[in-house]
Amino acid sequence: RKVELSYKRYNHYIQSNDFIKHTDIAKFKKEWISNALSLIQEKLLKRHEDNVRGLFQEIFDNYKMAMKEAILNYVLLCPQERKRLNIPLLMKDYLNSSERIALEGGFSVRLYPQWHEFVTNGKENIKNSLYVSNIINSSILDWFDDFNTVHLFEYESLKECTTKGFALDF
């Protein structure tokens, strides 16, 4: 219950503009915007101007939220501030395995002695069982699935004729 209340207060401080104002947040640098825009072709920028504006607005909003979280997390490092803001408990973030491996620099050879062999065998298996698929191949497979019950000739009649020794006239 205390953790829930702490998270509600935490989110309230983050979402509200009363506590951490936009003027408290470092401005998004114009050179960051111009660097990002320089990577996009001019004709694409002109053709999708509204989409680009919307994308940058989303980037600015995410930047503001991330900065607010960083400021509040820094403030909450102090026990007195935690008490003053009435946020006594917050769940500690736990790293997932890929994040932990990235921070620790890879797998432990002592824990996983056959790791390299396992990865090599896995890559080889994927390479050997790889199917090249494009729209034509998938269309043919779909066509086959749709018409696999349609027969161009009556197989059973043909089989019966050949076993009895009849000749078919065409």
Side-chain angles (χ1 to χ4, degrees):
R1 180 98 175 114
K2 278 188 174 184
V3 174
E4 279 183 41
L5 289 174
S6 294
Y7 266 107
K8 281 184 181 179
R9 288 189 188 97
Y10 180 86
N11 287 327
H12 177 70
Y13 285 121
I14 294 292
Q15 301 296 331
S16 175
N17 291 329
D18 297 334
F19 303 104
I20 302 174
K21 297 177 177 42
H22 294 302
T23 55
D24 299 336
I25 298 172
K27 298 255 187 245
F28 202 85
K29 293 185 179 180
K30 289 182 181 179
E31 65 187 54
W32 296 343
I33 299 169
S34 58
N35 286 344
L37 290 174
S38 69
L39 299 172
I40 304 170
Q41 293 178 0
E42 191 69 32
K43 64 180 182 180
L44 287 175
L45 286 174
K46 289 179 181 174
R47 190 180 324 151
H48 302 286
E49 189 173 337
D50 292 335
N51 291 339
V52 172
R53 286 177 201 241
L55 182 66
F56 273 106
Q57 187 59 48
E58 187 177 336
I59 290 170
F60 295 146
D61 293 341
N62 287 342
Y63 174 77
K64 288 176 190 174
M65 291 304 291
M67 293 304 291
K68 282 183 169 186
E69 285 182 29
I71 290 169
L72 188 57
N73 288 342
Y74 182 75
V75 168
L76 291 176
L77 290 176
C78 176
Q80 291 85 10
E81 287 299 313
R82 277 182 179 266
K83 191 173 183 178
R84 185 181 70 82
L85 296 174
N86 203 9
I87 303 178
L89 299 172
L90 284 176
M91 286 179 55
K92 185 177 179 183
D93 290 332
Y94 288 99
L95 301 176
N96 62 32
S97 62
S98 62
E99 293 169 335
R100 197 170 49 250
I101 289 167
L103 284 175
E104 294 171 1
F107 283 109
S108 167
V109 178
R110 279 180 266 134
L111 288 176
Y112 307 102
Q114 290 87 19
W115 180 80
H116 180 73
E117 181 182 332
F118 177 76
V119 170
T120 306
N121 289 342
K123 284 180 182 178
E124 195 63 35
N125 186 22
I126 289 171
K127 193 186 300 181
N128 291 337
S129 62
L130 182 65
Y131 295 104
V132 176
S133 182
N134 57 28
I135 190 68
I136 295 169
N137 291 349
S138 63
S139 298
I140 290 171
L141 290 173
D142 290 343
W143 181 80
F144 178 76
D145 289 339
D146 291 342
F147 296 104
N148 68 350
T149 58
V150 175
H151 300 290
L152 298 177
F153 54 90
E154 293 185 27
Y155 176 73
E156 293 300 322
S157 300
L158 185 63
K159 185 177 170 186
E160 186 178 322
C161 289
T162 55
T163 55
K164 291 183 180 178
F166 296 124
L168 296 176
D169 293 326
F170 290 102

